[in-house]
Amino acid sequence: MTTETDTVLDVITTPEHAPKRRYRYHRRTDSGYWRTEYEWTGCLWRMVDRQALSKISIHQEVDL
């Protein structure tokens, strides 16, 4: 079980024709990270997938 302090990054997306999705990245106890995917049910976030990652890299593109 993870806690909010274990969370490295939360990304929430709103697809045009589907429920909101939350992608939560948090540290694994051995090394690396978990990427846990949740779907909004209208009342709570339901976990739908989890994947082990060795590294996270964040890039942002900006239109000027």
Side-chain angles (χ1 to χ4, degrees):
M1 184 67 146
T2 62
T3 65
E4 292 298 316
T5 58
D6 296 330
T7 301
V8 175
L9 176 68
D10 267 345
V11 177
I12 297 174
T13 63
T14 305
E16 286 190 29
H17 303 290
K20 288 183 183 180
R21 295 280 175 165
R22 178 171 72 184
Y23 301 91
R24 177 167 279 178
Y25 299 85
H26 49 89
R27 298 184 201 292
R28 293 188 342 225
T29 54
D30 52 356
S31 68
Y33 302 89
W34 286 111
R35 188 218 22 98
T36 309
E37 180 180 354
Y38 299 87
E39 179 180 79
W40 183 245
T41 67
C43 299
L44 54 90
W45 290 104
R46 177 179 64 89
M47 187 172 80
V48 294
D49 189 29
R50 185 165 92 160
Q51 180 180 26
L53 306 172
S54 59
K55 181 169 107 171
I56 298 172
S57 180
I58 300 170
H59 300 274
Q60 179 181 1
E61 291 185 27
V62 177
D63 291 332
L64 298 175

